[in-house]
Amino acid sequence: MVKLEERKELTKDRPVEIAPLPRQAYIHLAQHTGKSATPCVKTADTVLTGQCIGLSEAAVSSAIHSSISGRVLSIRDYLHPILGYAKAVIIESDGQDTKEKLEPRSQKEIEKLGPEEIRKLVQKAGIVGLGGAAFPTHIKLNPPRPIDTLIINGAECEPYLTSDYRLMVEKTKEIILGIDLVLRCINAKYVYIAIEDNKPEAIKAFKGEVKNLKFKIQILKSFYPQGGEKQLIKNILDKEVPSGKLPFDIGVVVHNVATIYAIYEAVYKNKPLYERIVTVTGSCLENPKNLLVRIGTPIKDLINACGPLVKTPYKIVMGGPMMGIAQCSQDIPIIKATNGIILLSEEEARIYEEQVCIRCGACVRNCPIGLMPCIIDAASRKQDWKLAAAYGALDCIECGLCSYVCPANRWLVEAIKLAKQMQRK
């Protein structure tokens, strides 16, 4: 792992603000791992905030909900932050933000809920992993093997991002209630709340609220990529997830803090996942902020909310600077997995010319999974997908460290991503 320049000071002390409602929301039907949802509304329909607009009967999928009230303008292919283009429900706001009538549940009602009822509520709310993977959460609440340990991921190790930090500071009690709901589903014996040591206010908040002796606040050193599932498991439990396996294969489940909060909202408030906290930051902005953003809001609306611009952005990244994806347009909307929008200046986003690999081994020494990125890179460039697979391309977590430390500026992570895509075809 590597110590990176954090750049979190831009927003770490800025409480979450509510972003303005978008005039039009572009809500993709593919914003989760698994099969895309099928629209259950049609053009010219009137929809309410929180109304289900997309469903799928596939085993791995997630429900999609309207984030505003208004009229469905069209259902068509639209710019997607990861897929390029994908089917989206485009809704024109009526400015009223009229919510579907869903009453919060009483404490007595919540106490009566069994594990299967909680899973169904989470599934109905369309909750996915909000740390980036966007895997449907109801599936992780029903693991195929007995679970011994639950790890709550509050590491947020990427530079610039502070959305999880602010959530932990401002919604500590709610996160703890969400953890209790998860425990009722998976019956884990041990709970670790993992927080990096550069988040003192979050650590203080949890120490003040945690009363359950089963919960342990695990303070981690701030290194990248500390927040990866496998890295957390190794650093907290000294266990390794075998190649090709998942954490539940060794009796562990990991949930991001934002996912836990969404579970709390789904069960206690009867609220679907139609908004999330996004860090909008970078040296190009006059007022970087942490914003509570409706899903489907275009990037340009968030830039306007944090403006004015003090520099022309050279690159706009959705996510963190290490694992995020550069965007081609400010019209691209926020999806469930979006935890940050970073506006980088030309100085910060400078692109180096690739050189010949000098076989220094820096990528091998720094790979948190123990791979040989330079060898996978060579196989990928020769389109030898079998060789890339033999060297563990599918185990890559795409953290970007190999490219970051490479003195030859090789595009290693891009080559490994290509190898992974070709193997999955």
Side-chain angles (χ1 to χ4, degrees):
M1 293 194 289
V2 172
K3 182 69 174 177
L4 301 176
E5 188 177 350
E6 293 176 349
R7 305 286 180 93
K8 293 179 183 284
E9 68 280 355
L10 294 170
T11 55
K12 71 181 180 67
D13 296 321
R14 302 212 171 187
V16 176
E17 298 180 23
I18 298 174
L21 287 177
R23 285 177 291 182
Q24 289 186 7
Y26 304 81
I27 304 172
H28 280 102
L29 296 166
Q31 43 181 311
H32 50 262
T33 301
K35 187 173 178 59
S36 299
T38 300
C40 50
V41 292
K42 59 185 185 298
T43 300
D45 279 357
T46 298
V47 296
L48 302 175
T49 302
Q51 179 180 329
C52 184
I53 59 174
L55 280 171
S56 172
E57 294 182 358
V60 182
S61 189
S62 180
I64 305 294
H65 298 81
S66 177
S67 60
I68 57 174
S69 61
R71 185 173 65 93
V72 177
L73 292 179
S74 63
I75 301 172
R76 60 181 174 86
D77 284 347
Y78 190 76
L79 288 164
H80 191 285
I82 300 170
L83 303 176
Y85 279 86
K87 196 75 72 182
V89 179
I90 301 172
I91 301 170
E92 182 180 47
S93 174
D94 59 11
Q96 301 301 309
D97 194 28
T98 306
K99 295 179 174 62
E100 196 171 39
K101 291 183 179 179
L102 298 169
E103 294 296 326
R105 293 182 178 85
S106 67
Q107 186 63 42
K108 189 174 290 186
E109 288 176 309
I110 291 165
E111 288 172 0
K112 290 179 180 178
L113 292 173
E116 190 56 34
E117 291 171 301
I118 293 172
R119 293 184 194 109
K120 286 180 179 178
L121 291 174
V122 169
Q123 182 176 14
K124 184 181 177 182
I127 297 172
V128 300
L130 299 181
F135 189 81
T137 300
H138 65 276
I139 299 174
K140 287 182 74 172
L141 294 181
N142 190 23
R145 292 174 177 78
I147 297 301
D148 183 68
T149 303
L150 170 64
I151 296 176
I152 307 303
N153 187 352
E156 196 170 44
C157 59
E158 281 256 24
Y160 288 97
L161 303 183
T162 58
S163 57
D164 284 352
Y165 177 49
R166 292 311 312 176
L167 181 65
M168 288 188 286
V169 171
E170 298 176 32
K171 301 293 182 181
T172 317
K173 292 179 181 178
E174 293 85 348
I175 292 169
I176 292 170
L177 290 172
I179 295 171
D180 286 331
L181 292 170
V182 173
L183 286 175
R184 283 157 66 177
C185 293
I186 66 173
N187 200 29
K189 294 179 182 178
Y190 308 104
V191 179
Y192 293 89
I193 302 172
I195 309 174
E196 284 192 329
D197 59 9
N198 61 354
K199 300 172 179 63
E201 291 301 315
I203 294 168
K204 180 181 176 181
F206 274 98
K207 283 184 174 179
E209 291 294 340
V210 168
K211 305 295 188 293
N212 191 330
L213 295 177
K214 184 188 288 187
F215 292 12
K216 181 178 180 181
I217 299 167
Q218 187 74 32
I219 302 171
L220 304 168
K221 292 184 178 180
S222 56
F223 285 100
Y224 182 82
Q226 186 76 263
E229 273 193 341
K230 294 182 179 180
Q231 284 64 54
L232 281 179
I233 293 168
K234 175 64 177 175
N235 291 338
I236 294 173
L237 305 176
D238 197 24
K239 293 182 179 179
E240 291 192 7
V241 179
S243 175
K245 300 293 184 180
L246 295 170
F248 66 68
D249 288 305
I250 60 169
V252 181
V253 166
V254 181
H255 280 292
N256 175 267
V257 287
T259 310
I260 297 292
Y261 181 69
I263 292 170
Y264 158 80
E265 289 201 303
V267 176
Y268 277 79
K269 295 185 176 181
N270 211 0
K271 178 182 173 183
L273 178 59
Y274 59 77
E275 61 184 355
R276 66 157 299 155
I277 301 172
V278 179
T279 300
V280 186
T281 187
S283 62
C284 298
L285 288 168
E286 177 72 28
N287 297 297
K289 298 176 181 179
N290 293 296
L291 294 174
L292 182 62
V293 179
R294 299 295 174 93
I295 304 299
T297 302
I299 291 173
K300 62 185 177 185
D301 290 11
L302 303 185
I303 293 173
N304 291 336
C306 298
L309 290 172
V310 294
K311 297 179 188 175
T312 301
Y314 185 79
K315 182 184 286 187
I316 298 175
V317 177
M318 184 175 284
M322 298 296 287
M323 296 185 73
I325 297 176
Q327 301 300 310
C328 63
S329 170
Q330 293 186 20
D331 293 322
I332 288 173
I334 300 304
I335 60 174
K336 293 179 183 181
T338 306
N339 54 5
I341 298 293
I342 306 173
L343 278 66
L344 300 174
S345 66
E346 187 169 1
E347 279 183 346
E348 295 167 316
R350 56 191 183 277
I351 298 173
Y352 296 102
E353 185 178 346
E354 240 189 344
Q355 304 294 328
V356 175
C357 176
I358 61 173
R359 298 293 189 268
C360 66
C363 62
V364 178
R365 289 192 299 274
N366 286 281
C367 177
I369 304 298
L371 303 178
M372 292 189 282
C374 54
I375 304 299
I376 302 173
D377 171 56
S380 179
R381 291 173 194 250
K382 291 179 179 179
Q383 299 185 11
D384 190 338
W385 313 123
K386 287 185 178 180
L387 182 60
Y391 277 96
L394 287 175
D395 288 325
C396 173
I397 62 172
E398 301 177 16
C399 68
L401 264 187
C402 54
S403 296
Y404 180 80
V405 300
C406 178
N409 304 315
R410 303 286 289 173
W411 292 9
L412 298 171
V413 72
E414 289 83 357
I416 297 172
K417 281 185 178 183
L418 176 60
K420 291 171 71 173
Q421 289 172 4
M422 297 306 294
Q423 287 170 57
R424 288 168 176 157
K425 283 188 176 181

